[in-house]
Amino acid sequence: GFELGFAMASPNALVCWEAQFGDFHNTAQCIIDQFISSGQAKWVRHNGIVLLLPHGMEGMGPEHSSARPERFLQMSNDDSDAYPFSEQFEVSQLYECNWIVVNCSTPANYFHVLRRQILLPFRKPLIVLTPKSLLRHPEAKSSFDEMVTGTTFQRVIPENGPAAQAPHEVKRVIFCTGKVYYDLVKERKNQDLEKQVAITRLEQISPFPFDLLKEELEKYPSADLVWCQEEHKNSGYYDYVKPRFRTIVNHTRPIWYVGREPAAAAATGNKNMHLVSLRRFLDTAFNLEAFEGKT
């Protein structure tokens, strides 16, 4: 509540509230529901508060894993069934949304999204899902060349490896967000599928980057489309992204789910069960025959 008021009184300041773990925001749910998500719609008051919510299935148990991204996505006001058309697509989406939800997988993109937040000519709440393990992950790194003048926030980071060089030979495109990307890249290399499987990252989940994902989908016309997440099926992002992907392809191609099974708890408290479920969905993600015969 203090940070919300400070951000409203000082719109030119970058005001951040960080939870020790992402799911601790549940004690602020009334402020999020009544003020942050709907403040502009109810009172025409802009607010640029940033919520930094550590999030990621890292085997730390049900109370220290999930920032409950599904709750923020459910309260996002973009229409899943309407493809938005605009000359200035990115800015128009940001202006019309009630808040922005991101899960950055690189230091450069984390830098850029905070920089964009203060440079925008208007204010919107920013929800940042921040996996703690990426602070020390050897592959989660950026060059300073990605943060110099002329570089910007990437709403989507497309595949740029061997699969992108011969897109018509790609058999599967995996879309994901957050730290699960690094698990997928490691497994793809282990199985020697770098030419057959493309992996594309959504860095900004809401507002949904319809325009950039349309380009990606058209690039791989004959590939299976998979959404992979480390969260359980009834949480995370799947229920939000599925209808939007279907809108982009005009319901002509399915988007398959790969991830953990539905569960009442946000995560298991057993380290071994955590690793077993991770192994299970990675196997499915790279089983190129997993969805044959299904509609």
Side-chain angles (χ1 to χ4, degrees):
F2 173 82
E3 284 81 3
L4 177 72
F6 197 104
M8 190 169 292
S10 305
N12 292 322
L14 183 63
V15 180
C16 303
W17 177 79
E18 183 172 26
Q20 183 181 7
F21 291 96
D23 48 2
F24 291 4
H25 75 73
N26 57 14
T27 58
Q29 200 66 51
C30 61
I31 293 174
I32 292 169
D33 292 351
Q34 296 180 17
F35 295 93
I36 299 178
S37 75
S38 57
Q40 182 179 343
K42 290 193 288 189
W43 303 303
V44 201
R45 296 300 299 270
H46 284 225
N47 196 294
I49 189 171
V50 179
L51 304 188
L52 303 176
L53 305 177
H55 170 84
M57 305 297 109
E58 298 169 348
M60 298 299 291
E63 318 307 337
H64 298 86
S65 297
S66 179
R68 292 292 187 181
E70 64 275 7
R71 295 181 181 174
F72 295 99
L73 295 174
Q74 185 186 38
M75 289 189 283
S76 296
N77 67 353
D78 63 333
D79 189 347
S80 63
D81 300 319
Y83 188 97
F85 292 94
S86 174
E87 291 183 6
Q88 295 181 314
F89 192 96
E90 181 178 0
V91 175
S92 295
Q93 271 199 316
L94 293 174
Y95 184 75
E96 293 168 5
C97 74
N98 62 317
W99 57 19
I100 304 160
V101 182
V102 302
N103 192 344
C104 299
S105 62
T106 69
N109 239 15
Y110 187 50
F111 160 76
H112 279 302
V113 79
L114 293 178
R115 183 173 178 271
R116 184 184 72 173
Q117 181 72 357
I118 204 67
L119 287 177
L120 284 172
F122 47 83
R123 293 290 171 259
K124 298 286 179 173
L126 173 64
I127 315 301
V128 186
L129 305 167
T130 56
K132 290 195 173 190
S133 63
L134 293 194
L135 292 171
R136 56 187 181 276
H137 198 292
E139 299 302 318
K141 57 189 177 184
S142 298
S143 163
F144 281 112
D145 292 337
E146 298 172 68
M147 292 177 268
V148 297
T149 302
T151 58
T152 59
F153 175 69
Q154 293 180 272
R155 291 175 292 148
V156 171
I157 301 180
E159 170 66 47
N160 60 3
Q165 310 306 317
H168 288 276
E169 297 178 15
V170 171
K171 296 182 178 180
R172 176 167 296 173
V173 183
I174 299 176
F175 296 93
C176 65
T177 188
K179 78 176 188 64
V180 73
Y181 167 77
Y182 295 100
D183 295 321
L184 290 168
V185 167
K186 182 180 178 181
E187 184 65 21
R188 180 177 64 175
K189 185 176 182 180
N190 289 344
Q191 295 198 27
D192 194 24
L193 291 171
E194 292 175 309
K195 292 183 178 180
Q196 295 170 283
V197 179
I199 303 175
T200 294
R201 286 171 274 179
L202 274 71
E203 300 285 289
Q204 177 178 294
I205 305 130
S206 181
F208 195 70
F210 284 93
D211 54 333
L212 299 179
L213 290 175
K214 187 173 188 293
E215 294 176 9
E216 283 297 289
L217 292 169
E218 290 174 348
K219 185 176 181 180
Y220 305 99
S222 58
D224 284 343
L225 306 179
V226 167
W227 174 262
C228 183
Q229 64 179 38
E230 59 180 358
E231 296 82 3
H232 293 282
K233 190 174 183 179
N234 59 326
S235 56
Y237 321 89
Y238 182 61
D239 287 339
Y240 177 85
V241 303
K242 180 181 178 180
R244 289 163 175 81
F245 273 110
R246 298 280 281 159
T247 293
I248 294 174
V249 298
N250 199 24
H251 298 269
T252 58
R253 300 166 72 183
I255 176 85
W256 302 107
Y257 170 79
V258 172
R260 290 183 166 93
E261 296 295 318
T268 179
N270 183 291
K271 182 72 173 183
N272 185 60
M273 287 182 63
H274 165 77
L275 295 174
V276 167
S277 60
L278 173 63
R279 179 72 265 156
R280 186 179 294 128
F281 81 71
L282 287 177
D283 287 343
T284 304
F286 293 99
N287 177 2
L288 300 182
E289 300 176 356
F291 305 109
E292 280 189 6
K294 295 184 178 181
T295 57

